[in-house]
Amino acid sequence: MEHIRELRNRVIKIALAVIAGMVIGWFVYPHVWHFVQTPYCRAHFATHVPGQTGQSSTCLLYVTGIFDGFFLRLKIAFITGVIISSPVWLYQLWAFIAPGLYARERRWAYFFVGSAVPLFALGAVFAYFAMTRGLEFLLGLVPSNVDPIITITTYLSYALAMLLIFGLAFELPLVLILLNLAHVLTHQRFRKWRRVIIFAVFAFAAVATPSPDPLTMLLLAIPCVILVEIAEVFTWLNDRRRARLPEEDFAGLHGEPSRIDLDGVDEDLNASSR
């Protein structure tokens, strides 16, 4: 019950922090939406306004319902609130989990969180610049006599999918490093399966990205391959460090016979037989 009450208090604090962040996100919504819409506006295509021949714009998005504008603002405010309040809810989660961890597990957790957040942010940056190219490819497939009517909901779903896919894909080297730290993946096995891993990265980039154009795929695959190579260097160094540990622990013991007092053992046996 004490753990449940503590979890309830942590969840309440996280909810309050997210709500406070949503309030801030509600007021900064115009700036956030302009930032989100910029990749769409940078795409080099022209969408014609229906019913107005000859008039075109490259930054038109549409709503199909009365409440779409309200829900869009609510979604943007929620996402902004989660990002703004991330230090608070990350700390609350850590404060709930940390008392049950050993010192070694805490070091692993520090390493995981300290690496996962920057890697996810790096993936989101690549996704932000890849979105424009993906939009140009997808909307370039529309016939010349057809006007694409892109709704705000559709575009926001595309943007979130790109950010999540890139962000999670950039966590791959961290997973490989953790497997090595857990004695599951060695450098020898890593080197043996390197080509398979690289092929799997390119296959994942081709399947997972919403846009099937080659440039978007390469923007996801090439940085992931570089990060995988960095993970391989880490596993090589870590395995070399482990290989030296037995020599350090048993230094000076090689070739020395064990000294056993057999006379004393014989005396004990004779005494016990009597």
Side-chain angles (χ1 to χ4, degrees), residues 7 12 31 33 38 45 51 55 59 120 132 143 146-147 158 186 190 197 205 214 216 218 222 238 242 254:
L7 178 61
I12 291 175
H31 304 284
W33 174 246
T38 299
F45 63 89
Q55 191 174 9
C59 200
F120 189 91
T132 300
V146 176
D147 292 325
Y158 168 79
T186 62
F190 196 121
I197 293 174
T216 303
L218 292 176
I222 292 178
N238 192 42
R242 286 175 181 167
H254 297 289

Side-chain angles (χ1 to χ4, degrees), residues 46-73:
T47 57
H48 296 276
V49 179
Q52 298 183 13
T53 306
Q55 191 174 9
S56 63
S57 174
T58 59
C59 200
L60 285 177
L61 290 169
Y62 299 90
V63 294
T64 58
I66 298 175
F67 297 102
D68 285 357
F70 171 76
F71 286 122
L72 172 67
R73 187 159 190 162

